[in-house]
């Protein structure tokens, strides 16, 4: 919120689940939304796909041809109100490479918003206030992880309480540590891993009363 410029989690493309796909942009002032979208799209356009040993490459290939086709399928059937602000194409080279893509103008019921693309694709949606931003973030089937970007500590705390997800990051994205649990809610699964919480999933509780 504010200027929620979130770095894209694009390693392990087509395999990693804890990836950024939905970015609400503040439209309480249209200029804030437009400025954010322009800068976000510019940053995305500068992220070059390539192999790990390619100098300057920041995005690896998708996991296989089927996943590349799935990503292309979502992008090739967009709603009429959506627009590609950056990227949008597969690379014409051997391998399963796709440009970092930003899609704007989407709405909450759109397939690209409600589904999991599992590729280097981020959607941007406007919101008018904090409450609507939380409603948009919570109004999708998935609930694995979300990140909040703000200079306002109170807003960060409100967001952490309001967002229904397994992980909430504040001013960072994609960082996990073994001491803290990793898991999701809703369609993002049951249970989790990492930390004592993850170990307890492999145990059987017994209640003994004497």
């Amino acid at each position: 919120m504010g200027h929620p410029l979130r770095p894209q989690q694009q390693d392990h493309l087509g395999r990693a689940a804890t990836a950024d796909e939905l970015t609400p942009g503040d439209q309480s002032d249209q200029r804030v939304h437009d400025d954010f979208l322009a800068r976000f799209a510019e940053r995305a356009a500068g992220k070059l796909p390539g192999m790990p040993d390619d100098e300057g490459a920041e995005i690896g290939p998708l996991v296989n041809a089927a996943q590349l086709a799935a990503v292309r399928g979502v992008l090739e059937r967009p709603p009429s109100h959506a627009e590609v602000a950056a990227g949008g194409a597969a690379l014409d080279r051997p391998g399963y490479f796709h440009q970092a893509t930003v899609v704007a103008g989407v709405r909450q019921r759109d397939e690209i918003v409600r589904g999991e693309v599992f590729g280097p694709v981020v959607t941007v949606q406007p919101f008018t206030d904090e409450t609507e931003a939380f409603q948009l973030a919570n109004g999708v089937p998935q609930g694995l992880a979300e990140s909040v970007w703000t200079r306002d500590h109170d807003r960060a705390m409100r967001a952490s309480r309001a967002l229904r997800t397994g992980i909430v990051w504040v001013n960072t994205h994609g960082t996990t540590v073994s001491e803290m649990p990793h898991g999701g809610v809703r369609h993002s699964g049951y249970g989790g891993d990492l930390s004592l919480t993850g170990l307890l999933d492999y145990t059987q509780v017994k209640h003994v009363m004497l």
Side-chain angles (χ1 to χ4, degrees):
M1 297 88 191
H3 291 282
L5 186 58
R6 308 197 299 184
Q8 299 178 72
Q9 177 81 357
Q10 292 179 338
D11 56 346
H12 310 298
L13 295 177
R15 295 174 290 171
T18 314
D20 183 23
E21 293 185 353
L22 166 66
T23 303
D26 190 346
Q27 203 180 31
S28 56
D29 184 332
Q30 184 67 40
R31 293 171 299 178
V32 173
H33 171 271
D34 294 347
D35 179 60
F36 165 76
L37 177 59
R39 290 195 290 160
F40 191 79
E42 182 180 9
R43 288 283 296 275
K47 290 186 174 293
L48 302 178
M51 295 296 290
D53 57 351
D54 289 350
E55 185 175 352
E58 295 185 72
I59 305 174
L62 283 93
V63 65
N64 54 35
Q67 185 55 37
L68 178 60
V71 172
R72 295 300 312 143
V74 172
L75 292 174
E76 288 170 359
R77 50 178 183 269
S80 58
H81 48 264
E83 63 170 333
V84 175
L91 270 63
D92 185 17
R93 57 171 287 183
Y96 313 120
F97 295 95
H98 199 283
Q99 293 175 325
T101 300
V102 178
V103 182
V106 295
R107 299 172 186 169
Q108 191 72 359
R109 299 299 302 177
D110 293 341
E111 173 194 16
I112 197 171
V113 172
R114 298 188 62 78
E116 292 185 292
V117 180
F118 286 114
V121 179
V122 176
T123 61
V124 177
Q125 290 176 253
F127 63 87
T128 55
D129 57 27
E130 183 179 287
T131 299
E132 184 183 8
F134 298 156
Q135 290 173 343
L136 290 172
N138 290 330
V140 294
Q142 298 77 31
L144 185 55
E146 297 180 280
S147 54
V148 180
W149 297 78
T150 181
R151 300 183 182 94
D152 186 328
H153 178 268
D154 290 340
R155 173 171 284 176
M157 294 300 98
R158 289 194 300 272
S160 299
R161 291 189 294 269
L163 294 172
R164 298 193 300 272
T165 184
I167 300 173
V168 176
W169 290 295
V170 177
N171 295 334
T172 188
H173 190 87
T175 301
T176 58
V177 294
S178 60
E179 296 83 4
M180 297 297 290
H182 176 268
V185 299
R186 300 192 298 279
H187 289 189
S188 291
Y190 174 81
D193 57 11
L194 303 181
S195 78
L196 178 61
T197 300
L199 292 175
L200 290 176
D201 276 346
Y202 296 93
T203 64
Q204 175 66 54
V205 176
K206 177 185 288 185
H207 178 175
V208 177
M209 179 180 292
L210 298 178

